[in-house]
Amino acid sequence: MRTVSPVSSKNSDLLVHIMATPVSDQEKRKQISIRGIVGVENVAELKKGFNRHLHFTLVKDRNVATQRDYYFALAHTVRDHLVGRWIRTQQFYYETDPKRVYYLSLEFYMGRTLQNTMINLGLQNACDEAIYQIGLDMEDLEEMEEDAGLGNGGLGRLAACFLDSMATLGLAAYGYGIRYEYGIFNQKIKEGWQVEEADDWLRYGNPWEKARPEFMLPVHFYGRVEETKDGSKWVDTQVVLAMPYDTPIPGYMNNTVNTMRLWSARAPNDFNLQDFNVGDYIQAVLDRNLAENISRVLYPNDNFFEGKELRLKQEYFVVAATLQDIIRRFKNSKRDSASTTISFETFPDKVAIQLNDTHPAMAIPELMRIFVDIEKLDWDTAWDLTKRTFAYTNHTVLPEALERWPVQLMETLLPRHLQIIYQINQNHLDRIAALFPKDMDRLRRMSLIEEDGGKRINMAHLCIVGSHAVNGVAEIHSNIIKTDVFRDFSELEPDKFQNKTNGITPRRWLLLCNPGLAELIAEAIGEEYVKELSQLQKLNDLVDDDTFIRDISKVKQENKLKFAQYLEKEYKVKINPSSMFDVHVKRIHEYKRQLLNCLHIITLYNRIKKDPTAPFVPRTVIIGGKAAPGYHMAKMIIKLITSVAEVVNKDPVVGSNLKVIYLENYRVSLAEKVIPATDLSEQISTAGTEASGTGNMKFMLNGALTIGTMDGANVEMAEEAGEDNLFIFGMRVEDVAEMDKKGYDAMKYYKELPELKQAIDQIKSGFFSPKQPELFKDLINMLFNHDRFKVFADFEDYVQCQERVSKLYENPKEWTKMVIKNIAASGKFSSDRTITDYATEIWGVEPTDLKIPPPNEPREAIEETARALKKM
């Protein structure tokens, strides 16, 4: 019996291992380990399901079916295995009535779902085998799936990893967001420039979602506030309906399937037809689009606030629908359905709401509005319940990213909420004034309303005041928040401020994307590490094991070869697979300093040109990422990189010593290909600007070494692995602060560093843009006159650090030993650890490894498990 399909290249190394060795019982256990068991019945059932869906769901036979039809047939077959567990999980939560966690985010960057679901259900090997027997190629089918690109970058991907961990840890958790019709744009590179195309990800349908029209809810906008004897009433509003779409979120091998609920905007049937004499019926129907535009498209900004009315509508839309849903579920719980009157006293004991940045901040005044205006609680009680319910995660310290909504816009769109925010602010300032009499400056700094340059609402201040916990996402970031950005607030309530260092799910970012490495680790230390990533520390015992060193190196080489073939197919560039793969993939932003990398590439190029016979460690530099469509400087950075690539790649003197590739349309599914193939991970933001970073963790787990500044989670990675096992360079936070005091003088570095001067002169003179010598003048002007991120200041140290990288790469054994030390130290950066910390220190819930009874067991089993849980 084959345990993997020979046609699937991702299993080829495992297959060789199986065929080349006699199969002992222990070997058998390893083969079936982390990819699931291949039973004959299992495979037969999957084939039957596949053929049934092809026939009945897709209405096709094998003569006319396309690859996409086959993908859909498989997706529906795998989804069938989720449904029973999904229903079971919800029944279990009803029986046990646990405290529920609600993760509110405007972004969930999910990527593809098929393979992740197969892995978490333990179906991967069986599906591989079934598809092989049917005569299809699993990887071809997986490539048919569209990425669910409902996020920009780190913040949205973090939310997706968190959902996976919450399900794996058995938490009764729900992700709530928006079902954007168009996700993050598809990036095309044309003549070296970024061009955006709409991401019509739903064009062929989404097999993983289930529409729930029966739970459709009204959301109100505009109108006015009427003061009545019964309190404030928000009247004459425009109504938009929120239609929920549910996506199952399976935990890893524990039968838990949680829910991500995304809202889609629908116009009510009487939209614009309320007036009896409207006359223009056709126009009224066409105008329904205006209401439905709310969930049309994801705003493509990362770390930048654009104060548009549609964006505020999106933020309130998701919050208003979600809170109605949360309160409905609270009222319908087993505990409360028995009693006739609902008491909200226990609300914070049963509900925890996490705000993923300030985007869902309107949840705070909205919950107050529901408690005070609708449920008729007094203000103080409502405020106490609200504060105990909410917690806020801050994701950035960049001032241009902080949300500050104009009061005038809020007054028009959400008049009652503005009143509530004013009341919250008044009470808050009264408290500050009592504690710090006559300190007007402090009152101004801490107010929720900023007066200078037009009245604005500071949403971060609203979140801090309205939450019982505030956290940053890495130690260094949380410290900056406490001592700098929100210093006044942390002095007032030091216990409110916490750190929760980000993490990544090892299911997607190791098992799924790097099966060769995942199997190798399982053979070395067992399979438990998948749910307990700190067990990777055991790999330290193998740092000097020659066989293990060779095996790790071999897996990396196979991943590089596979990615090189992908690049050749997609980009028509032939690259040297034994060259160092030096990778810099993330959103394009000045603070992430892709420009620093670009200057290093030019320096390497100039060195080769100066002495083509000198020894040189071959590199393939791979840069990828999207620029916000309106961010001129970021788009110029892309154009510079592609222009440099054009010159370098066509120069016969350089040959295969140096290649530069711009990875078009970087996204989750492309990250899954490039990360396992990377040798060197670039994490080079100016110290104090990157809140955490999570790409850095993915590379570390997948056996890349890091070149980076002491910024974000790099600091903790260096702590875990030892600073000697990362390539750390550049100014520290204190140095940057010192330079800000003294003033940064770019010209000084330009004059003192000949290689920097040469590179800048080449860009300035049009060496990389001969047809348009002036093309990069804005970039040059920025670098000399207003570079907030001090690229030149770190140039010399960066180049010297890169020389140390090349030197180590020449010694493959020592390089691989350092790789093993990094993998062994990456356990802390599992999102399971992060979520455990949120659960116990913020949400007041306990993770459990209790397995919900599978669907084939009678319903009584649920009640038994529920009783067992209560005894724990």
Side-chain angles (χ1 to χ4, degrees):
M1 180 77 214
R2 274 184 309 272
T3 54
V4 291
S5 30
V7 291
S8 178
S9 56
K10 79 179 152 204
N11 297 327
S12 58
D13 48 324
L14 183 59
L15 184 76
V16 169
H17 166 75
I18 292 165
M19 289 168 74
T21 50
V23 182
S24 66
D25 283 345
Q26 190 190 7
E27 287 292 317
K28 267 185 201 155
R29 187 188 63 77
K30 281 171 187 168
Q31 284 166 35
I32 62 172
S33 63
I34 48 184
R35 296 168 77 82
I37 296 163
V38 182
V40 184
E41 322 75 38
N42 229 344
V43 173
E45 188 197 348
L46 288 165
K47 284 163 71 178
K48 197 169 143 193
F50 179 91
N51 289 322
R52 181 170 54 83
H53 278 295
L54 191 63
H55 189 84
F56 289 105
T57 310
L58 296 155
V59 197
K60 291 278 182 91
D61 65 19
R62 292 293 294 266
N63 298 312
V64 292
T66 62
Q67 282 288 87
R68 181 167 285 104
D69 292 321
Y70 293 137
Y71 156 70
F72 273 105
L74 177 59
H76 281 107
T77 306
V78 170
R79 181 174 170 268
D80 289 347
H81 287 257
L82 274 173
V83 170
R85 292 175 171 91
W86 197 6
I87 292 169
R88 264 286 147 105
T89 302
Q90 303 317 308
Q91 288 171 344
F92 182 69
Y93 293 157
Y94 183 77
E95 288 298 331
T96 53
D97 190 30
K99 182 172 185 176
R100 287 164 162 92
V101 173
Y102 297 99
Y103 197 82
L104 264 62
S105 181
L106 269 280
E107 302 184 21
F108 287 95
Y109 202 172
M110 303 297 284
R112 292 172 175 163
T113 296
L114 174 62
Q115 201 184 348
N116 186 248
T117 304
M118 294 191 296
I119 285 169
N120 280 10
L121 294 184
L123 283 175
Q124 173 124 51
N125 271 340
C127 286
D128 277 353
E129 179 59 30
I131 292 302
Y132 168 71
Q133 287 184 18
I134 289 166
L136 298 168
D137 182 286
M138 178 61 96
E139 277 194 31
D140 289 349
L141 299 193
E142 287 167 354
E143 283 301 312
M144 294 311 298
E145 183 172 0
E146 299 274 356
D147 279 48
L150 307 186
N152 276 283
L155 174 146
R157 184 53 236 174
L158 184 81
C161 284
F162 279 4
L163 293 183
D164 181 89
S165 286
M166 290 189 284
T168 297
L169 293 169
L171 301 180
Y174 303 75
Y176 274 95
I178 294 178
R179 180 183 178 264
Y180 301 106
E181 207 175 306
Y182 295 90
I184 185 65
F185 61 86
N186 284 318
Q187 179 196 55
K188 290 275 185 287
I189 302 292
K190 293 186 178 164
E191 294 172 6
W193 296 95
Q194 167 175 297
V195 177
E196 299 89 24
E197 290 184 355
D199 166 42
D200 191 6
W201 73 289
L202 292 168
R203 183 175 40 221
Y204 301 104
N206 173 7
W208 304 106
E209 68 181 9
K210 176 73 184 82
R212 300 283 193 196
E214 67 275 23
F215 292 121
M216 191 131 63
L217 294 166
V219 174
H220 298 260
F221 293 101
Y222 303 109
R224 59 191 174 81
V225 182
E226 224 173 53
E227 299 302 337
T228 71
K229 61 177 191 324
D230 297 325
S232 302
K233 271 213 173 98
W234 185 18
V235 297
D236 297 341
T237 56
Q238 288 183 22
V239 175
V240 176
L241 300 175
M243 160 95 88
Y245 285 78
D246 289 355
T247 299
I249 306 290
Y252 180 71
M253 303 289 281
N254 66 348
N255 295 331
T256 293
V257 180
N258 283 341
T259 302
M260 173 176 70
R261 177 162 282 184
L262 302 180
W263 302 101
S264 180
R266 293 280 185 277
N269 286 332
D270 63 354
F271 186 78
N272 274 11
L273 290 166
Q274 300 93 327
D275 309 328
F276 187 69
N277 294 320
V278 72
D280 198 345
Y281 160 75
I282 297 292
Q283 193 54 48
V285 173
L286 298 183
D287 285 345
R288 293 169 61 83
N289 275 330
L290 300 174
E292 295 174 357
N293 279 338
I294 290 175
S295 57
R296 195 81 67 204
V297 60
L298 168 75
Y299 272 84
N301 302 316
D302 190 68
N303 277 299
F304 183 77
F305 170 60
E306 190 179 1
K308 294 281 197 288
E309 180 177 14
L310 180 62
R311 172 65 173 189
L312 182 57
K313 275 186 174 170
Q314 289 182 340
E315 293 184 354
Y316 178 66
F317 174 75
V318 65
V319 148
T322 300
L323 283 172
Q324 289 180 72
D325 218 31
I326 290 172
I327 286 168
R328 174 191 58 76
R329 199 175 285 116
F330 173 77
K331 287 180 173 179
N332 291 346
S333 70
K334 198 171 183 183
R335 149 191 50 85
D336 271 329
S337 52
S339 72
T340 46
T341 56
I342 300 291
S343 162
F344 283 96
E345 253 174 70
T346 60
F347 192 77
D349 305 322
K350 288 295 176 184
V351 174
I353 303 176
Q354 191 68 35
L355 304 173
N356 194 25
D357 214 328
T358 57
H359 313 147
M362 289 305 294
I364 293 169
E366 172 66 3
L367 187 58
M368 284 298 289
R369 186 186 72 81
I370 293 168
F371 281 161
V372 173
D373 294 1
I374 298 168
E375 301 296 344
K376 304 297 180 196
L377 301 184
D378 68 87
W379 179 278
D380 291 346
T381 304
W383 184 240
D384 174 63
L385 296 175
T386 297
K387 272 185 77 160
R388 285 164 52 209
T389 299
F390 286 110
Y392 157 57
T393 301
N394 172 275
H395 281 276
T396 183
V397 296
L398 295 182
E400 65 268 35
L402 296 174
E403 292 196 297
R404 299 174 161 95
W405 287 106
V407 163
Q408 209 179 349
L409 174 59
M410 190 74 73
E411 191 167 25
T412 308
L413 194 67
L414 300 166
R416 177 61 182 136
H417 297 77
L418 181 64
Q419 288 184 346
I420 290 168
I421 289 167
Y422 272 140
Q423 183 66 60
I424 291 168
N425 194 39
Q426 188 60 59
N427 297 353
H428 163 61
L429 292 180
D430 288 348
R431 183 178 168 219
I432 307 300
L435 290 166
F436 304 94
K438 301 199 176 90
D439 192 343
M440 292 309 290
D441 205 43
R442 185 181 295 263
L443 286 177
R444 184 188 53 75
R445 290 197 310 267
M446 295 185 76
S447 177
L448 273 53
I449 313 293
E450 297 176 353
E451 302 281 353
D452 41 308
K455 279 192 171 185
R456 292 176 173 270
I457 304 163
N458 184 316
M459 302 307 273
H461 290 183
L462 173 61
C463 285
I464 294 168
V465 171
S467 298
H468 69 276
V470 176
N471 73 281
V473 289
E475 287 285 358
I476 183 175
H477 169 233
S478 297
N479 289 333
I480 290 170
I481 279 176
K482 279 188 276 201
T483 58
D484 185 4
V485 192
F486 303 132
R487 183 177 167 180
D488 291 320
F489 292 92
S490 86
E491 283 174 357
L492 190 68
E493 300 181 284
D495 295 346
K496 184 182 273 193
F497 288 79
Q498 305 187 14
N499 171 247
K500 296 285 170 277
T501 299
N502 283 162
I504 58 172
T505 169
R507 272 72 63 182
R508 184 176 295 267
W509 298 113
L510 184 57
L511 269 68
L512 183 154
C513 71
N514 203 341
L517 181 59
E519 282 291 347
L520 186 58
I521 294 170
E523 285 172 22
I525 63 169
E527 301 148 32
E528 289 301 303
Y529 77 89
V530 178
K531 288 184 89 160
E532 191 48 70
L533 205 64
S534 58
Q535 293 198 19
L536 291 178
Q537 286 167 351
K538 294 177 184 173
L539 295 176
N540 281 318
D541 298 341
L542 298 168
V543 167
D544 296 310
D545 182 312
D546 284 345
T547 310
F548 191 67
I549 291 169
R550 195 185 63 236
D551 288 345
I552 287 282
S553 178
K554 180 168 167 281
V555 166
K556 178 63 73 179
Q557 207 43 50
E558 283 167 357
N559 290 339
K560 287 174 72 174
L561 206 57
K562 187 174 177 188
F563 191 64
Q565 286 163 357
Y566 172 83
L567 288 182
E568 208 175 319
K569 183 170 135 267
E570 293 293 316
Y571 298 88
K572 312 291 177 267
V573 210
K574 201 153 179 55
I575 61 169
N576 171 5
S578 64
S579 66
M580 182 201 306
F581 284 14
D582 171 350
V583 179
H584 198 179
V585 285
K586 50 186 75 242
R587 285 298 290 253
I588 308 299
H589 203 299
E590 287 159 88
Y591 88 85
K592 294 177 186 282
R593 297 204 295 190
Q594 284 91 357
L595 276 173
L596 182 57
N597 190 347
C598 195
L599 291 173
H600 177 245
I601 295 168
I602 297 171
T603 301
L604 290 181
Y605 173 74
N606 289 334
R607 287 180 181 182
I608 296 170
K609 294 289 281 185
K610 189 176 173 186
D611 185 359
T613 59
F616 188 84
V617 177
R619 282 195 190 223
T620 301
V621 183
I622 298 167
I623 301 177
K626 295 174 182 178
Y631 188 174
H632 170 67
M633 204 59 75
K635 289 185 146 181
M636 289 309 302
I637 291 168
I638 293 175
K639 178 59 175 169
L640 177 62
I641 295 163
T642 55
S643 302
V644 170
E646 183 87 355
V647 171
V648 171
N649 296 346
K650 284 187 174 164
D651 196 319
V653 175
V654 175
S656 64
N657 276 328
L658 184 61
K659 283 274 182 272
V660 181
I661 290 176
Y662 198 90
L663 264 194
E664 186 178 79
N665 204 31
Y666 182 63
R667 58 199 185 281
V668 174
S669 59
L670 190 47
E672 290 163 7
K673 294 179 174 71
V674 67
I675 290 170
T678 299
D679 292 307
L680 183 69
S681 154
E682 301 263 357
Q683 308 296 335
I684 60 178
S685 53
T686 312
T689 62
E690 187 73 88
S692 167
T694 46
N696 46 6
M697 303 167 186
K698 290 159 197 167
F699 284 108
M700 185 188 200
L701 181 60
N702 280 278
L705 298 184
T706 302
I707 183 165
T709 50
M710 276 299 202
D711 197 22
N714 296 357
V715 178
E716 289 160 79
M717 285 161 54
E719 248 168 52
E720 295 294 303
E723 208 173 311
D724 295 349
N725 294 309
L726 279 79
F727 297 99
I728 298 291
F729 73 94
M731 298 180 287
R732 309 299 208 252
V733 167
E734 310 77 59
D735 305 321
V736 174
E738 190 58 37
M739 186 173 283
D740 281 332
K741 258 191 251 169
K742 281 196 322 216
Y744 164 62
D745 179 9
M747 187 58 80
K748 178 171 89 79
Y749 298 98
Y750 172 77
K751 286 175 177 166
E752 285 173 7
L753 304 170
E755 288 189 310
L756 175 63
K757 182 178 190 302
Q758 184 186 4
I760 292 296
D761 289 349
Q762 285 169 310
I763 297 169
K764 207 171 11 178
S765 69
F767 180 84
F768 298 106
S769 54
K771 290 179 183 165
Q772 291 174 272
E774 296 273 276
L775 184 60
F776 300 114
K777 68 174 193 304
D778 289 354
L779 275 180
I780 296 294
N781 176 40
M782 180 274 290
L783 284 169
F784 279 103
N785 300 314
H786 45 94
D787 177 10
R788 295 159 58 201
F789 305 106
K790 307 173 179 64
V791 170
F792 292 1
D794 277 342
F795 174 81
E796 186 179 22
D797 202 10
Y798 179 55
V799 171
Q800 285 171 3
C801 192
Q802 287 281 18
E803 285 164 14
R804 301 207 317 270
V805 173
S806 289
K807 194 169 172 359
L808 186 67
Y809 194 74
E810 287 183 291
N811 185 339
K813 187 173 180 181
E814 288 307 309
W815 178 279
T816 307
K817 285 166 93 162
M818 197 182 275
V819 163
I820 294 166
K821 288 176 191 169
N822 271 267
I823 297 170
S826 60
K828 173 180 179 178
F829 305 107
S830 167
S831 47
D832 296 347
R833 188 268 318 151
T834 312
I835 289 298
T836 300
D837 290 350
Y838 275 99
T840 55
E841 295 163 26
I842 295 181
W843 303 331
V845 293
E846 283 296 328
T848 169
D849 50 11
L850 200 78
K851 239 181 165 179
I852 293 175
N856 54 1
E857 288 185 23
R859 170 130 195 190
E860 293 78 61
I862 284 192
E863 285 150 26
E864 265 173 55
T865 312
R867 282 194 293 275
L869 189 67
K870 279 179 182 147
K871 283 179 194 162
M872 282 166 79

